[in-house]
């Protein structure tokens, strides 16, 4: 099995995740190692982690940093990906409240995340943000005005997205007309804002 060195200790690579992240194991414990190509990316990543923590967005904790090798060792979050929850029609009002809690905190801080369901893992009652995408609100579209909100509601766009990601989509009542969709978006936003 492939290994990677972090501060003179060998970690067994379990699999490679998105954004070059590595799911690794050492002494039967799971971790994430994030490699970087340059110091600027390394520092930007750590700065973004602090910003999200300040905005009460749950993230994996940084356990150790290797500034020489440009590696970060993080906690591995055991939980269920939100895309899986949506595919099996288990997204309830409690989940939507948590999603809007994350969104609200960042909206007030003028920060925009990627609200695609695969960027969140549900662990206990919280959504952990596992993506690295963070930008100023002025450079993007607010969640309730963009297309990402349609991935959280029972729409044809949600169904196609889930199927394209390789999940089996459990049948449910769908919002079909544009008027129904706009009404549902308004109701969800008002109820959870």
């Amino acid at each position: 099995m492939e290994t990677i060195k972090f501060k003179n200790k060998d970690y067994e690579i379990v699999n490679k995740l998105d954004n070059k992240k590595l799911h690794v194991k050492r002494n039967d414990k799971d971790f994430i190692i994030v490699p970087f190509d340059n110091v600027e990316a390394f520092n930007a990543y750590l700065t973004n982690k602090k910003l999200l923590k300040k905005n009460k967005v749950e993230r994996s904790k940084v356990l150790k940093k290797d500034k020489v090798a440009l590696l970060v060792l993080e906690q591995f979050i055991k939980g269920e990906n939100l895309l899986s929850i949506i595919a099996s029609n288990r997204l309830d009002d409690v989940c939507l409240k948590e999603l809007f809690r994350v969104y609200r905190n960042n909206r007030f801080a003028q920060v925009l995340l990627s609200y695609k369901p695969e960027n969140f893992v549900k662990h206990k009652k919280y959504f952990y943000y596992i993506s690295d995408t963070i930008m100023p609100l002025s450079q993007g579209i607010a969640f309730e005005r963009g297309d990402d909100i349609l991935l959280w509601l029972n729409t044809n766009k949600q169904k196609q997205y889930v199927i394209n990601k390789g999940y089996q989509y459990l049948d449910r009542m769908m919002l079909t007309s544009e008027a129904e969709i706009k009404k549902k978006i308004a109701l969800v936003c008002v109820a959870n804002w």
Side-chain angles (χ1 to χ4, degrees):
M1 178 133 314
E2 226 182 323
T3 62
I4 185 170
K5 268 204 187 306
F6 185 90
K7 294 207 172 196
N8 296 323
K9 293 180 181 170
D10 287 328
Y11 289 80
E12 181 183 311
I13 298 174
V14 177
N15 63 347
K16 295 179 182 182
L17 306 172
D18 295 338
N19 301 337
K20 300 180 185 177
K21 291 183 179 183
L22 304 170
H23 175 193
V24 297
K25 251 186 193 294
R26 178 167 166 73
N27 299 332
D28 289 329
K29 291 184 181 175
D30 291 302
F31 302 96
I32 296 289
I33 290 183
V34 188
F36 296 93
D37 297 329
N38 56 55
V39 174
E40 292 79 19
F42 178 84
N43 290 332
Y45 183 81
L46 294 174
T47 301
N48 286 343
K49 284 282 233 187
K50 288 178 187 173
L51 176 66
L52 290 178
K53 183 177 180 182
K54 179 180 167 189
N55 293 336
K56 298 181 181 168
V57 175
E58 304 299 326
R59 297 273 313 210
S60 57
K61 291 179 178 69
V62 172
L63 303 173
K64 294 180 183 175
K65 301 173 264 193
D66 186 342
K67 293 178 183 177
V68 176
L70 298 177
L71 298 172
V72 173
L73 181 71
E74 295 181 345
Q75 159 191 36
F76 179 78
I77 304 299
K78 291 183 180 172
E80 188 174 10
N81 192 288
L82 266 291
L83 201 53
S84 172
I85 291 171
I86 288 171
S88 59
N89 197 18
R90 291 182 289 125
L91 188 72
D92 57 10
D93 289 338
V94 174
C95 289
L96 288 174
K97 279 194 182 312
E98 173 61 8
L99 175 68
F100 273 85
R101 181 195 67 81
V102 171
Y103 172 59
R104 193 172 42 250
N105 288 344
N106 287 290
R107 176 78 187 256
F108 291 140
Q110 298 294 302
V111 176
L112 193 62
L113 307 178
S114 172
Y115 289 95
K116 297 200 181 319
E118 70 268 17
N119 292 333
F120 294 92
V121 171
K122 185 178 182 191
H123 177 69
K124 297 184 181 175
K125 67 177 185 173
Y126 293 110
F127 287 1
Y128 282 74
Y129 187 61
I130 57 174
S131 176
D132 299 330
T133 305
I134 302 168
M135 68 180 90
L137 186 62
S138 60
Q139 292 181 3
I141 299 170
F143 174 58
E144 72 272 10
R145 291 189 190 105
D147 287 342
D148 284 353
I149 195 166
L150 299 176
L151 304 177
W152 296 87
L153 303 174
N154 296 335
T155 62
N156 285 325
K157 184 169 177 113
Q158 178 194 63
K159 181 178 182 178
Q160 279 308 118
Y161 190 80
V162 168
I163 290 169
N164 288 344
K165 291 290 184 177
Y167 287 86
Q168 185 175 359
Y169 190 79
L170 192 65
D171 283 337
R172 63 200 78 172
M173 285 290 285
M174 302 292 282
L175 300 169
T176 52
S177 74
E178 193 70 29
E180 273 184 319
I181 292 170
K182 285 182 179 179
K183 181 180 177 184
K184 183 66 174 181
I185 290 171
L187 290 173
V188 166
C189 289
V190 168
N192 296 293
W193 188 252

